[in-house]
Amino acid sequence: MQAKKDEVKREIESAALKVFFRKGFADAKMNDIADEIQISVGNIYTYFKNKKELFYAVVPPSLVDYLKNVLVESIRLDNQTFFERAGSDKQSAIVQEQMNLLTQYSMQIVIIFEKNKGTVYSNAKNELIELMIETKKPFLKDHYKRYEIGTQENMILLSIIASNVINMILDLLKREMGADSRRRIFEALSLYWLHGLTGINE
């Protein structure tokens, strides 16, 4: 009996994730989720007291923390290995972890950054951009040989770059494709991102 209950709960969570991905939290209805797996709305309330509880069950804050930690570590290692002019096993491992994260939680990540109206994630994108800038700051220099740019201008530049990186990732995650294709494209985007950041470091 417990195994059956666990199976139904997993089915509800899977259906909810699809509906939140399509419609966003604000526009999703419990009826939509029930229709997705042909059960009654009352059956959903047996497992979750309301839509918000169901939402945070499938898009938990712990996932946001994990995403931030992986991204921050990636930025730190990218800059550290640039200045050391050497590759890093840690860098390869963190890129692999990023790819696993984006493959396994693609729908949740899109929901967090684009389908978040009415949730605690409503400012998630801006918060992540600020975190990326703060992580990059210790590696900034006072002078760059390719261009003249002040501190305030540098912050604007970093904000644009961080926003574009997030948008590129979201664009990739929203496209219909297999996991292997998504991994390969993300790897190529990572190389593109690093190539762009090289100019910032020089």
Side-chain angles (χ1 to χ4, degrees), residues 108-126:
Q108 289 96 327
I109 292 170
V110 172
I111 292 167
I112 288 166
F113 292 112
E114 291 197 343
K115 314 277 186 171
N116 54 30
K117 184 179 178 183
T119 76
V120 298
Y121 309 132
S122 58
N123 197 39
K125 185 175 180 180
N126 289 333

Side-chain angles (χ1 to χ4, degrees), residues 2-202:
Q2 184 60 44
K4 177 63 176 176
K5 286 183 177 180
D6 291 343
E7 181 182 347
V8 173
K9 186 178 181 182
R10 285 194 297 270
E11 288 177 355
I12 292 170
E13 290 174 342
S14 177
L17 183 60
K18 292 174 185 176
V19 172
F20 290 136
F21 179 75
R22 286 199 307 266
K23 294 192 168 188
F25 174 79
D27 294 332
K29 304 288 187 289
M30 292 297 251
N31 281 331
D32 299 326
I33 297 167
D35 290 345
E36 187 77 22
I37 49 176
Q38 299 298 302
I39 64 172
S40 69
V41 173
N43 202 359
I44 296 178
Y45 285 115
T46 301
Y47 297 88
F48 301 95
K49 64 182 180 181
N50 53 44
K51 183 176 76 168
K52 187 162 282 190
E53 182 180 78
L54 177 52
F55 177 80
Y56 291 119
V58 297
V59 191
S62 59
L63 176 59
V64 181
D65 293 337
Y66 177 48
L67 176 63
K68 287 179 178 178
N69 288 338
V70 170
L71 185 56
V72 164
E73 183 65 6
S74 174
I75 294 171
R76 189 185 66 78
L77 286 173
D78 287 342
N79 283 273
Q80 188 176 42
T81 53
F82 172 84
F83 287 113
E84 292 173 355
R85 300 292 180 179
S88 167
D89 291 339
K90 283 185 178 180
Q91 189 178 26
S92 298
I94 202 71
V95 169
Q96 187 62 47
E97 190 171 2
Q98 279 183 316
M99 288 193 285
N100 291 340
L101 178 63
L102 296 179
T103 301
Q104 187 174 354
Y105 299 105
S106 58
M107 285 194 287
Q108 289 96 327
I109 292 170
V110 172
I111 292 167
I112 288 166
F113 292 112
E114 291 197 343
K115 314 277 186 171
N116 54 30
K117 184 179 178 183
T119 76
V120 298
Y121 309 132
S122 58
N123 197 39
K125 185 175 180 180
N126 289 333
E127 290 173 355
L128 185 56
I129 288 171
E130 288 300 316
L131 181 60
M132 293 169 73
I133 292 171
E134 287 301 314
T135 306
K136 174 70 178 175
K137 270 185 181 179
F139 300 97
L140 296 178
K141 299 192 300 185
D142 296 328
H143 178 74
Y144 298 85
K145 69 180 182 182
R146 290 187 178 178
Y147 50 83
E148 293 295 331
I149 190 167
T151 302
Q152 186 175 358
E153 294 166 330
N154 220 334
M155 294 302 102
I156 294 171
L157 177 61
L158 289 177
S159 178
I160 292 170
I161 291 172
S163 181
N164 284 339
V165 167
I166 295 171
N167 288 336
M168 282 192 294
I169 291 172
L170 290 173
D171 189 351
L172 173 60
L173 296 183
K174 288 185 289 186
R175 294 176 183 266
E176 292 286 338
M177 66 180 67
D180 289 340
S181 292
R182 183 171 281 120
R183 284 172 180 270
R184 286 192 292 270
I185 294 173
F186 175 72
E187 189 172 24
L189 282 174
S190 296
L191 292 173
Y192 171 79
W193 182 20
L194 286 174
H195 180 73
L197 288 180
T198 297
I200 300 299
N201 284 329
E202 289 184 347

